Amino acid sequence: MTNYFFIVIFAPIRKQVKDLMMTITFNRWLLVISACAVAVMMNAQTPNVDDLISVGLPWVEVITVGGEEPTCDYVSPPEGGAGTGIANATKVPGRLRISVGGEYVYDSGDYVKDTSGMTIKIRGNSSAYEAKKPYKVKLEKKADLLCRADDAIYGDKEWLLMKDEYFIKGGKLLHMMIGLKATELCGVTWEPQAQFVNLTVNGNYRGVYMLCESVKRNEKSRVNVDKTGYIVEMDPYWWNEDVWFSTTRHEKKYTFKYPDSDDVTEEQVDYIKDALDNLEDALWTGAYPSLLDVESMATWLMVHDILGTNDAYGSNIFFTKYDNTPESKVAMGPLWDFDTIMETERTWATIHDKFDFYIYYLLCLAPGYSGPLVDAYFRQWQAVGSEVPRQMVEFLQNFLQSEEAEALQISNEWDLSRWQHTGASVEEMGQAAIRWFTDRETWMSEMVSTLSVGKIPIWSSNRPSSSPCYDLIGRRVPSNYRGFVISGQRIYMK
């Protein structure tokens, strides 16, 4: 079929080469041939319906009303902001079906507001700039798209179609699966469940995605907070949200997951801001165990250490508060954003040394009071953490021998072809992760006992870098400030 296509298309062109050469250069002619060849190859390697049914992964099929595609605008941050983001993401109505082995296990039905169907929109920040988009789906009627046989428990309206970060970071198809599994093994209260799927939108193959639960309040199956509770995110993309607040001492910017920003009241914003202001103050006085769920912070940190996260201080740092009573402490988690795992070889996750995050104060700046976090870390490591690297090796070995891994490899080849990329095989990625956790078990077994409260900032008479500067009680100071300042883990005299 492919050869016939070339004969039909190119035979007439060959007869007119002399005429074409008079109007286009030879280099342009080569580009025309190359473009046609790529188009033919791509068509030949795009999976058809039979392929999607037989490969072995669930097939998520989105059909929008009128074939409309979700769109968005791309925006840059204001002065003082960071990153790049999107705005005006259109919510496109339509139908979503999930097929396994040729049988539909879920069908939303056609779109009827508040009754059936769904809407789909582009989500994310920098990840949305690539040709392959991440999506958020909102069903009109609650359902469990992971088909765990109990919609009453797992049913929800909000679901995510997460792409891997190959296009930004390079070949990380398994990263989210690995990160979620390690977090689960470490005993985090709740982590999203997810499933590899193939996605088509209006009949057009979009590649391999992870169909995933979103971070939101759902006391039965997601983040269990009371209706008076909170889920907030320390968010570098605060500038792109309708509602956000900043803490007083450290000027950390937070946005809302619960209550929804459309529903949150001014009183609720003031309440959670006060709670986090009090926590930041307590980091300096040593009173933080009365306000912070130290066990959750220790577990959060331990997971990142086991995974070797290079950017734990990116976006998606979640804090929860179960309710609005004084007895409810601020807790860390769930964990999210595993793009940069397995990158800090033979060293701690970089979050240890980030002056802009609270871990630094708990481990470094208040040695007389940071014992509770270290003690909690030791307990968590001894109770569960020390077994996690070995359990991850076993999990990955079993996964690589599974039918799912075989189906994922075929699907990954389709995905790479669809988006004109090359990349490692599933086997290669899995074996690299096995090596990581094998080495990590040895390294962490040696290093956990050295985690100490005795890490003191180094005094220096040199001028600080352009990093933010703080006085000795943690207040940010202007560039013309004179006296002792803390910047980038060192204390300077200005």
Side-chain angles (χ1 to χ4, degrees), residues 337-363:
D337 196 355
F338 302 104
D339 300 347
T340 64
I341 63 173
M342 300 184 291
E343 292 187 4
T344 61
E345 187 174 359
R346 300 195 66 78
T347 188
W348 301 107
T350 57
I351 195 70
H352 278 246
D353 298 322
K354 292 289 185 182
F355 183 75
D356 284 344
F357 190 60
Y358 304 140
I359 295 294
Y360 184 85
Y361 306 97
L362 295 173
L363 293 179

PDB file of all heavy atoms in Angstrom, residues 337-363:
ATOM      1  N   ASP A 337       3.942  15.461  40.740  1.00  0.00           N
ATOM      2  CA  ASP A 337       4.993  16.036  39.897  1.00  0.00           C
ATOM      3  C   ASP A 337       6.312  15.273  40.063  1.00  0.00           C
ATOM      4  O   ASP A 337       7.193  15.666  40.823  1.00  0.00           O
ATOM      5  CB  ASP A 337       5.196  17.515  40.225  1.00  0.00           C
ATOM      6  CG  ASP A 337       5.979  18.233  39.122  1.00  0.00           C
ATOM      7  OD1 ASP A 337       6.428  17.569  38.183  1.00  0.00           O
ATOM      8  OD2 ASP A 337       6.129  19.467  39.215  1.00  0.00           O
ATOM      9  N   PHE A 338       6.439  14.173  39.317  1.00  0.00           N
ATOM     10  CA  PHE A 338       7.604  13.304  39.422  1.00  0.00           C
ATOM     11  C   PHE A 338       8.521  13.413  38.199  1.00  0.00           C
ATOM     12  O   PHE A 338       9.232  12.468  37.857  1.00  0.00           O
ATOM     13  CB  PHE A 338       7.137  11.857  39.611  1.00  0.00           C
ATOM     14  CG  PHE A 338       6.268  11.661  40.814  1.00  0.00           C
ATOM     15  CD1 PHE A 338       4.892  11.495  40.692  1.00  0.00           C
ATOM     16  CD2 PHE A 338       6.810  11.665  42.089  1.00  0.00           C
ATOM     17  CE1 PHE A 338       4.077  11.316  41.802  1.00  0.00           C
ATOM     18  CE2 PHE A 338       6.010  11.499  43.211  1.00  0.00           C
ATOM     19  CZ  PHE A 338       4.648  11.323  43.066  1.00  0.00           C
ATOM     20  N   ASP A 339       8.529  14.573  37.556  1.00  0.00           N
ATOM     21  CA  ASP A 339       9.321  14.751  36.335  1.00  0.00           C
ATOM     22  C   ASP A 339      10.811  14.563  36.568  1.00  0.00           C
ATOM     23  O   ASP A 339      11.539  14.104  35.681  1.00  0.00           O
ATOM     24  CB  ASP A 339       9.102  16.163  35.752  1.00  0.00           C
ATOM     25  CG  ASP A 339       7.656  16.414  35.393  1.00  0.00           C
ATOM     26  OD1 ASP A 339       6.884  15.447  35.363  1.00  0.00           O
ATOM     27  OD2 ASP A 339       7.301  17.581  35.166  1.00  0.00           O
ATOM     28  N   THR A 340      11.295  14.971  37.743  1.00  0.00           N
ATOM     29  CA  THR A 340      12.745  15.014  37.959  1.00  0.00           C
ATOM     30  C   THR A 340      13.225  13.983  38.978  1.00  0.00           C
ATOM     31  O   THR A 340      14.231  14.196  39.646  1.00  0.00           O
ATOM     32  CB  THR A 340      13.190  16.415  38.399  1.00  0.00           C
ATOM     33  OG1 THR A 340      12.603  16.710  39.683  1.00  0.00           O
ATOM     34  CG2 THR A 340      12.781  17.477  37.394  1.00  0.00           C
ATOM     35  N   ILE A 341      12.518  12.865  39.109  1.00  0.00           N
ATOM     36  CA  ILE A 341      12.987  11.829  40.021  1.00  0.00           C
ATOM     37  C   ILE A 341      14.185  11.093  39.429  1.00  0.00           C
ATOM     38  O   ILE A 341      14.438  11.153  38.232  1.00  0.00           O
ATOM     39  CB  ILE A 341      11.868  10.828  40.377  1.00  0.00           C
ATOM     40  CG1 ILE A 341      11.395  10.066  39.139  1.00  0.00           C
ATOM     41  CG2 ILE A 341      10.707  11.554  41.047  1.00  0.00           C
ATOM     42  CD1 ILE A 341      10.403   8.948  39.446  1.00  0.00           C
ATOM     43  N   MET A 342      14.933  10.424  40.295  1.00  0.00           N
ATOM     44  CA  MET A 342      16.103   9.622  39.923  1.00  0.00           C
ATOM     45  C   MET A 342      17.192  10.477  39.280  1.00  0.00           C
ATOM     46  O   MET A 342      17.835  10.074  38.322  1.00  0.00           O
ATOM     47  CB  MET A 342      15.695   8.464  39.004  1.00  0.00           C
ATOM     48  CG  MET A 342      14.697   7.506  39.646  1.00  0.00           C
ATOM     49  SD  MET A 342      14.269   6.053  38.650  1.00  0.00           S
ATOM     50  CE  MET A 342      13.338   6.834  37.313  1.00  0.00           C
ATOM     51  N   GLU A 343      17.379  11.682  39.830  1.00  0.00           N
ATOM     52  CA  GLU A 343      18.387  12.595  39.279  1.00  0.00           C
ATOM     53  C   GLU A 343      19.456  13.008  40.291  1.00  0.00           C
ATOM     54  O   GLU A 343      20.510  13.488  39.892  1.00  0.00           O
ATOM     55  CB  GLU A 343      17.720  13.846  38.702  1.00  0.00           C
ATOM     56  CG  GLU A 343      16.896  13.576  37.457  1.00  0.00           C
ATOM     57  CD  GLU A 343      16.383  14.848  36.804  1.00  0.00           C
ATOM     58  OE1 GLU A 343      16.734  15.957  37.278  1.00  0.00           O
ATOM     59  OE2 GLU A 343      15.623  14.732  35.815  1.00  0.00           O
ATOM     60  N   THR A 344      19.227  12.835  41.586  1.00  0.00           N
ATOM     61  CA  THR A 344      20.211  13.284  42.583  1.00  0.00           C
ATOM     62  C   THR A 344      21.014  12.083  43.071  1.00  0.00           C
ATOM     63  O   THR A 344      20.873  11.634  44.205  1.00  0.00           O
ATOM     64  CB  THR A 344      19.524  13.994  43.767  1.00  0.00           C
ATOM     65  OG1 THR A 344      18.627  13.082  44.407  1.00  0.00           O
ATOM     66  CG2 THR A 344      18.761  15.211  43.287  1.00  0.00           C
ATOM     67  N   GLU A 345      21.846  11.577  42.207  1.00  0.00           N
ATOM     68  CA  GLU A 345      22.595  10.365  42.518  1.00  0.00           C
ATOM     69  C   GLU A 345      23.557  10.599  43.689  1.00  0.00           C
ATOM     70  O   GLU A 345      24.319  11.552  43.710  1.00  0.00           O
ATOM     71  CB  GLU A 345      23.382   9.905  41.285  1.00  0.00           C
ATOM     72  CG  GLU A 345      24.072   8.567  41.451  1.00  0.00           C
ATOM     73  CD  GLU A 345      24.719   8.083  40.170  1.00  0.00           C
ATOM     74  OE1 GLU A 345      24.605   8.794  39.148  1.00  0.00           O
ATOM     75  OE2 GLU A 345      25.332   7.009  40.200  1.00  0.00           O
ATOM     76  N   ARG A 346      23.480   9.706  44.686  1.00  0.00           N
ATOM     77  CA  ARG A 346      24.351   9.710  45.855  1.00  0.00           C
ATOM     78  C   ARG A 346      24.341  11.058  46.584  1.00  0.00           C
ATOM     79  O   ARG A 346      25.355  11.520  47.108  1.00  0.00           O
ATOM     80  CB  ARG A 346      25.782   9.303  45.484  1.00  0.00           C
ATOM     81  CG  ARG A 346      25.872   7.914  44.876  1.00  0.00           C
ATOM     82  CD  ARG A 346      27.282   7.376  44.855  1.00  0.00           C
ATOM     83  NE  ARG A 346      27.784   7.159  46.214  1.00  0.00           N
ATOM     84  CZ  ARG A 346      27.462   6.119  46.997  1.00  0.00           C
ATOM     85  NH1 ARG A 346      26.598   5.205  46.561  1.00  0.00           N
ATOM     86  NH2 ARG A 346      27.982   5.989  48.202  1.00  0.00           N
ATOM     87  N   THR A 347      23.170  11.653  46.619  1.00  0.00           N
ATOM     88  CA  THR A 347      22.969  12.842  47.447  1.00  0.00           C
ATOM     89  C   THR A 347      21.484  12.945  47.760  1.00  0.00           C
ATOM     90  O   THR A 347      20.655  12.275  47.135  1.00  0.00           O
ATOM     91  CB  THR A 347      23.467  14.118  46.743  1.00  0.00           C
ATOM     92  OG1 THR A 347      23.422  15.212  47.663  1.00  0.00           O
ATOM     93  CG2 THR A 347      22.594  14.465  45.536  1.00  0.00           C
ATOM     94  N   TRP A 348      21.156  13.767  48.755  1.00  0.00           N
ATOM     95  CA  TRP A 348      19.762  13.932  49.134  1.00  0.00           C
ATOM     96  C   TRP A 348      18.982  14.627  48.019  1.00  0.00           C
ATOM     97  O   TRP A 348      19.565  15.293  47.152  1.00  0.00           O
ATOM     98  CB  TRP A 348      19.663  14.770  50.406  1.00  0.00           C
ATOM     99  CG  TRP A 348      20.367  14.204  51.597  1.00  0.00           C
ATOM    100  CD1 TRP A 348      21.517  14.663  52.151  1.00  0.00           C
ATOM    101  CD2 TRP A 348      19.966  13.079  52.381  1.00  0.00           C
ATOM    102  NE1 TRP A 348      21.865  13.894  53.242  1.00  0.00           N
ATOM    103  CE2 TRP A 348      20.922  12.912  53.408  1.00  0.00           C
ATOM    104  CE3 TRP A 348      18.885  12.189  52.331  1.00  0.00           C
ATOM    105  CZ2 TRP A 348      20.839  11.895  54.358  1.00  0.00           C
ATOM    106  CZ3 TRP A 348      18.791  11.180  53.285  1.00  0.00           C
ATOM    107  CH2 TRP A 348      19.757  11.045  54.278  1.00  0.00           C
ATOM    108  N   ALA A 349      17.656  14.506  48.070  1.00  0.00           N
ATOM    109  CA  ALA A 349      16.808  15.323  47.196  1.00  0.00           C
ATOM    110  C   ALA A 349      17.147  16.791  47.430  1.00  0.00           C
ATOM    111  O   ALA A 349      17.464  17.198  48.555  1.00  0.00           O
ATOM    112  CB  ALA A 349      15.334  15.061  47.491  1.00  0.00           C
ATOM    113  N   THR A 350      17.096  17.580  46.383  1.00  0.00           N
ATOM    114  CA  THR A 350      17.557  18.970  46.489  1.00  0.00           C
ATOM    115  C   THR A 350      16.717  19.806  47.449  1.00  0.00           C
ATOM    116  O   THR A 350      17.151  20.882  47.863  1.00  0.00           O
ATOM    117  CB  THR A 350      17.564  19.651  45.115  1.00  0.00           C
ATOM    118  OG1 THR A 350      16.246  19.568  44.542  1.00  0.00           O
ATOM    119  CG2 THR A 350      18.553  18.986  44.177  1.00  0.00           C
ATOM    120  N   ILE A 351      15.538  19.320  47.825  1.00  0.00           N
ATOM    121  CA  ILE A 351      14.690  20.076  48.743  1.00  0.00           C
ATOM    122  C   ILE A 351      15.380  20.302  50.076  1.00  0.00           C
ATOM    123  O   ILE A 351      15.075  21.257  50.798  1.00  0.00           O
ATOM    124  CB  ILE A 351      13.338  19.348  48.934  1.00  0.00           C
ATOM    125  CG1 ILE A 351      12.301  20.275  49.566  1.00  0.00           C
ATOM    126  CG2 ILE A 351      13.501  18.082  49.747  1.00  0.00           C
ATOM    127  CD1 ILE A 351      11.835  21.380  48.661  1.00  0.00           C
ATOM    128  N   HIS A 352      16.357  19.446  50.454  1.00  0.00           N
ATOM    129  CA  HIS A 352      17.098  19.628  51.696  1.00  0.00           C
ATOM    130  C   HIS A 352      17.780  20.999  51.753  1.00  0.00           C
ATOM    131  O   HIS A 352      17.910  21.589  52.819  1.00  0.00           O
ATOM    132  CB  HIS A 352      18.189  18.561  51.817  1.00  0.00           C
ATOM    133  CG  HIS A 352      17.695  17.250  52.326  1.00  0.00           C
ATOM    134  ND1 HIS A 352      18.060  16.713  53.532  1.00  0.00           N
ATOM    135  CD2 HIS A 352      16.838  16.347  51.770  1.00  0.00           C
ATOM    136  CE1 HIS A 352      17.472  15.541  53.698  1.00  0.00           C
ATOM    137  NE2 HIS A 352      16.732  15.291  52.644  1.00  0.00           N
ATOM    138  N   ASP A 353      18.238  21.471  50.614  1.00  0.00           N
ATOM    139  CA  ASP A 353      19.074  22.663  50.583  1.00  0.00           C
ATOM    140  C   ASP A 353      18.367  23.880  49.992  1.00  0.00           C
ATOM    141  O   ASP A 353      19.006  24.877  49.681  1.00  0.00           O
ATOM    142  CB  ASP A 353      20.341  22.392  49.764  1.00  0.00           C
ATOM    143  CG  ASP A 353      21.179  21.284  50.385  1.00  0.00           C
ATOM    144  OD1 ASP A 353      21.260  21.241  51.620  1.00  0.00           O
ATOM    145  OD2 ASP A 353      21.727  20.469  49.633  1.00  0.00           O
ATOM    146  N   LYS A 354      17.055  23.796  49.847  1.00  0.00           N
ATOM    147  CA  LYS A 354      16.307  24.920  49.293  1.00  0.00           C
ATOM    148  C   LYS A 354      15.922  25.890  50.405  1.00  0.00           C
ATOM    149  O   LYS A 354      15.024  25.618  51.201  1.00  0.00           O
ATOM    150  CB  LYS A 354      15.063  24.423  48.550  1.00  0.00           C
ATOM    151  CG  LYS A 354      15.368  23.652  47.274  1.00  0.00           C
ATOM    152  CD  LYS A 354      15.895  24.571  46.198  1.00  0.00           C
ATOM    153  CE  LYS A 354      16.084  23.827  44.900  1.00  0.00           C
ATOM    154  NZ  LYS A 354      16.644  24.690  43.848  1.00  0.00           N
ATOM    155  N   PHE A 355      16.599  26.997  50.462  1.00  0.00           N
ATOM    156  CA  PHE A 355      16.314  27.983  51.493  1.00  0.00           C
ATOM    157  C   PHE A 355      14.889  28.515  51.382  1.00  0.00           C
ATOM    158  O   PHE A 355      14.316  28.981  52.359  1.00  0.00           O
ATOM    159  CB  PHE A 355      17.318  29.129  51.379  1.00  0.00           C
ATOM    160  CG  PHE A 355      17.159  30.167  52.451  1.00  0.00           C
ATOM    161  CD1 PHE A 355      17.596  29.910  53.744  1.00  0.00           C
ATOM    162  CD2 PHE A 355      16.574  31.384  52.182  1.00  0.00           C
ATOM    163  CE1 PHE A 355      17.446  30.864  54.739  1.00  0.00           C
ATOM    164  CE2 PHE A 355      16.432  32.353  53.171  1.00  0.00           C
ATOM    165  CZ  PHE A 355      16.873  32.080  54.456  1.00  0.00           C
ATOM    166  N   ASP A 356      14.325  28.439  50.188  1.00  0.00           N
ATOM    167  CA  ASP A 356      12.982  28.958  49.976  1.00  0.00           C
ATOM    168  C   ASP A 356      11.888  28.023  50.480  1.00  0.00           C
ATOM    169  O   ASP A 356      10.713  28.323  50.329  1.00  0.00           O
ATOM    170  CB  ASP A 356      12.751  29.226  48.489  1.00  0.00           C
ATOM    171  CG  ASP A 356      13.452  30.485  48.018  1.00  0.00           C
ATOM    172  OD1 ASP A 356      13.840  31.286  48.884  1.00  0.00           O
ATOM    173  OD2 ASP A 356      13.614  30.666  46.805  1.00  0.00           O
ATOM    174  N   PHE A 357      12.270  26.877  51.050  1.00  0.00           N
ATOM    175  CA  PHE A 357      11.232  25.969  51.551  1.00  0.00           C
ATOM    176  C   PHE A 357      11.490  25.649  53.018  1.00  0.00           C
ATOM    177  O   PHE A 357      12.589  25.808  53.530  1.00  0.00           O
ATOM    178  CB  PHE A 357      11.170  24.688  50.711  1.00  0.00           C
ATOM    179  CG  PHE A 357       9.974  23.837  51.029  1.00  0.00           C
ATOM    180  CD1 PHE A 357       8.693  24.340  50.863  1.00  0.00           C
ATOM    181  CD2 PHE A 357      10.121  22.547  51.509  1.00  0.00           C
ATOM    182  CE1 PHE A 357       7.581  23.576  51.167  1.00  0.00           C
ATOM    183  CE2 PHE A 357       9.010  21.771  51.811  1.00  0.00           C
ATOM    184  CZ  PHE A 357       7.739  22.284  51.644  1.00  0.00           C
ATOM    185  N   TYR A 358      10.485  25.141  53.699  1.00  0.00           N
ATOM    186  CA  TYR A 358      10.531  24.988  55.146  1.00  0.00           C
ATOM    187  C   TYR A 358      11.510  23.919  55.619  1.00  0.00           C
ATOM    188  O   TYR A 358      11.980  23.979  56.758  1.00  0.00           O
ATOM    189  CB  TYR A 358       9.132  24.674  55.679  1.00  0.00           C
ATOM    190  CG  TYR A 358       8.096  25.698  55.300  1.00  0.00           C
ATOM    191  CD1 TYR A 358       6.815  25.323  54.932  1.00  0.00           C
ATOM    192  CD2 TYR A 358       8.400  27.062  55.309  1.00  0.00           C
ATOM    193  CE1 TYR A 358       5.856  26.258  54.591  1.00  0.00           C
ATOM    194  CE2 TYR A 358       7.449  28.006  54.970  1.00  0.00           C
ATOM    195  CZ  TYR A 358       6.175  27.600  54.604  1.00  0.00           C
ATOM    196  OH  TYR A 358       5.234  28.537  54.259  1.00  0.00           O
ATOM    197  N   ILE A 359      11.786  22.916  54.797  1.00  0.00           N
ATOM    198  CA  ILE A 359      12.701  21.859  55.219  1.00  0.00           C
ATOM    199  C   ILE A 359      14.025  22.448  55.679  1.00  0.00           C
ATOM    200  O   ILE A 359      14.634  21.991  56.649  1.00  0.00           O
ATOM    201  CB  ILE A 359      12.949  20.865  54.060  1.00  0.00           C
ATOM    202  CG1 ILE A 359      11.656  20.136  53.691  1.00  0.00           C
ATOM    203  CG2 ILE A 359      14.036  19.860  54.428  1.00  0.00           C
ATOM    204  CD1 ILE A 359      11.126  19.224  54.761  1.00  0.00           C
ATOM    205  N   TYR A 360      14.483  23.486  54.994  1.00  0.00           N
ATOM    206  CA  TYR A 360      15.771  24.083  55.338  1.00  0.00           C
ATOM    207  C   TYR A 360      15.784  24.568  56.784  1.00  0.00           C
ATOM    208  O   TYR A 360      16.738  24.341  57.522  1.00  0.00           O
ATOM    209  CB  TYR A 360      16.072  25.235  54.386  1.00  0.00           C
ATOM    210  CG  TYR A 360      17.435  25.839  54.617  1.00  0.00           C
ATOM    211  CD1 TYR A 360      18.561  25.283  54.030  1.00  0.00           C
ATOM    212  CD2 TYR A 360      17.595  26.938  55.450  1.00  0.00           C
ATOM    213  CE1 TYR A 360      19.817  25.821  54.258  1.00  0.00           C
ATOM    214  CE2 TYR A 360      18.840  27.482  55.689  1.00  0.00           C
ATOM    215  CZ  TYR A 360      19.949  26.918  55.078  1.00  0.00           C
ATOM    216  OH  TYR A 360      21.187  27.439  55.316  1.00  0.00           O
ATOM    217  N   TYR A 361      14.711  25.197  57.198  1.00  0.00           N
ATOM    218  CA  TYR A 361      14.643  25.717  58.565  1.00  0.00           C
ATOM    219  C   TYR A 361      14.549  24.572  59.579  1.00  0.00           C
ATOM    220  O   TYR A 361      15.137  24.620  60.651  1.00  0.00           O
ATOM    221  CB  TYR A 361      13.432  26.638  58.728  1.00  0.00           C
ATOM    222  CG  TYR A 361      13.401  27.732  57.714  1.00  0.00           C
ATOM    223  CD1 TYR A 361      12.652  27.617  56.559  1.00  0.00           C
ATOM    224  CD2 TYR A 361      14.164  28.889  57.880  1.00  0.00           C
ATOM    225  CE1 TYR A 361      12.641  28.621  55.607  1.00  0.00           C
ATOM    226  CE2 TYR A 361      14.157  29.887  56.940  1.00  0.00           C
ATOM    227  CZ  TYR A 361      13.406  29.749  55.801  1.00  0.00           C
ATOM    228  OH  TYR A 361      13.396  30.731  54.864  1.00  0.00           O
ATOM    229  N   LEU A 362      13.813  23.540  59.217  1.00  0.00           N
ATOM    230  CA  LEU A 362      13.623  22.422  60.134  1.00  0.00           C
ATOM    231  C   LEU A 362      14.906  21.629  60.342  1.00  0.00           C
ATOM    232  O   LEU A 362      15.123  21.061  61.416  1.00  0.00           O
ATOM    233  CB  LEU A 362      12.524  21.498  59.596  1.00  0.00           C
ATOM    234  CG  LEU A 362      11.122  22.115  59.532  1.00  0.00           C
ATOM    235  CD1 LEU A 362      10.172  21.174  58.819  1.00  0.00           C
ATOM    236  CD2 LEU A 362      10.605  22.415  60.926  1.00  0.00           C
ATOM    237  N   LEU A 363      15.749  21.575  59.328  1.00  0.00           N
ATOM    238  CA  LEU A 363      16.980  20.790  59.428  1.00  0.00           C
ATOM    239  C   LEU A 363      18.216  21.637  59.712  1.00  0.00           C
ATOM    240  O   LEU A 363      19.195  21.120  60.234  1.00  0.00           O
ATOM    241  CB  LEU A 363      17.218  20.011  58.129  1.00  0.00           C
ATOM    242  CG  LEU A 363      16.222  18.899  57.796  1.00  0.00           C
ATOM    243  CD1 LEU A 363      16.585  18.260  56.469  1.00  0.00           C
ATOM    244  CD2 LEU A 363      16.183  17.854  58.889  1.00  0.00           C
TER     245      LEU A 363
END
